[in-house]
Amino acid sequence: MKLNRKDILGIQELSVEEINLILETADSFIEVSTREIKKVPTLRGKTVINLFYEASTRTRTSFEIAGKRLGADTINISASTSSVVKGETLIDTARNLEAMNPDVIVIRHAAAGAPHMLAGLLRQSIINAGDGAHEHPTQALLDLMTIRAKKGGIAGLKVAIVGDIAHSRVARSNIHGLTKMGAAVIVAGPATMIPRGIEKMGVVVHTQIEEAIREADIIMMLRIQTEREQQNIFPSLREYAQYFSLNRGNIGLARKDVLIMHPGPMNRGVEISPDIADGPHSIILDQVTNGVAVRMALLYLLTGGVS
Ligand code: CP
């Protein structure tokens, strides 16, 4: 099967069939990363540009590794070390990159909709690596892949997403993905971190972590997105941790086989205690491993690969 779209901009517009195609393709790429020689020639001669206007460890590195393991030439551009600091606009930067004829441009930008604008302007495939508080589709895909691998499926699971829902592109993409795939999604956080009307996305809302994680199969903890807050929306980190941290005192409310997820970066001792982050229920590093496979799958499918 082919993925009949030029760009990956959000989970909202993906069908269940498309999500399944991406996850199945990603499953088939897991093995490449376990080989002694972690390279296949599938994308030889293709060029992938990672254009990052915001900081990243996991997403940028895994896109670079994904491209390299498929044999593509990968180029990383950070806004802070590019001509953006001399005043070049996003459109001019993108037009100049287009003139060098890459095949895929991966973009992370603080402005919601920036990848969509490039997708409309450029002939290259655009992958959204996170746009403001809007979407982070590749994170949600790797999360879906990880849940599916660990639980054998997604439909019927109870997934609690706890933290700064209002400013989280990870939460939005995961809500779209998890509800499409048949999971029940509960969100929780302080009232100031829950966007008005979020119930319309098909989720149940709680303002206490204990209510949200009760009998949960999966708990996804989120950090506070201080870089996107206009004003202080909680009194102190100590108080936030007291009421919304996942820790030894409340994890027992979830199911015995609960799995703990976090997209990273974690603020240990704030939204999650270190013993839970590193404990037997944590699949946080499995998420990172699967991130490479999901990004390999997307690069492969967007450059015409068939699965
Ligand atoms: N999960 C995630 O997007 O992490 P980075 O910001 O490190 O890419």
Side-chain angles (χ1 to χ4, degrees), residues 60-261:
R60 197 176 79 167
T61 310
S62 59
F63 264 115
E64 183 176 1
I65 290 176
K68 287 190 162 137
R69 288 193 180 157
L70 290 172
D73 296 309
T74 58
I75 290 94
N76 293 320
I77 303 174
S78 291
S80 59
T81 54
S82 73
S83 288
V84 170
V85 295
K86 301 175 200 163
E88 190 163 53
T89 65
L90 171 60
I91 291 177
D92 280 337
T93 301
R95 287 269 190 234
N96 279 270
L97 297 178
E98 180 181 44
M100 297 180 215
N101 207 20
D103 298 279
V104 180
I105 297 178
V106 178
I107 177 169
R108 170 171 286 189
H109 201 285
H116 305 67
M117 184 179 73
L118 294 199
L121 283 172
L122 307 187
R123 62 178 181 277
Q124 283 81 15
S125 286
I126 305 295
I127 301 180
N128 179 0
D131 63 325
H134 177 228
E135 278 232 34
H136 192 349
T138 63
Q139 178 69 45
L141 288 165
L142 74 88
D143 291 339
L144 294 173
M145 178 184 179
T146 308
I147 294 171
R148 207 171 78 137
K150 294 285 178 188
K151 290 287 188 189
I154 297 167
L157 295 177
K158 178 176 174 178
V159 183
I161 306 178
V162 181
D164 185 2
I165 309 296
H167 300 94
S168 174
R169 54 197 178 202
V170 174
R172 287 179 65 82
S173 287
N174 263 302
I175 290 169
H176 284 306
L178 288 163
T179 53
K180 274 178 207 238
M181 302 304 278
V185 181
I186 297 95
V187 299
T192 50
M193 292 184 183
I194 304 285
R196 204 173 296 162
I198 194 165
E199 295 88 347
K200 292 194 191 110
M201 292 182 77
V203 302
V204 172
V205 178
H206 286 294
T207 50
Q208 292 191 333
I209 186 172
E210 292 79 8
E211 294 305 315
I213 67 175
R214 207 177 291 281
E215 293 299 314
D217 297 289
I218 307 281
I219 304 174
M220 194 178 287
M221 298 304 295
L222 302 175
R223 82 183 163 89
I224 303 165
Q225 306 265 314
T226 43
E227 70 271 32
R228 291 184 223 293
E229 285 168 11
Q230 308 298 318
Q231 60 204 28
N232 285 345
I233 54 176
F234 59 98
S236 70
L237 284 180
R238 198 167 63 84
E239 198 161 319
Y240 182 86
Q242 189 180 340
Y243 290 104
F244 286 99
S245 157
L246 184 66
N247 53 50
R248 225 181 305 171
N250 55 23
I251 194 172
L253 293 168
R255 287 175 61 95
K256 280 195 171 29
D257 59 351
V258 67
L259 297 176
I260 308 304
M261 303 178 77

Side-chain angles (χ1 to χ4, degrees), residues 5 33 53 63 170:
R5 55 174 65 240
S33 294
Y53 283 76
F63 264 115
V170 174

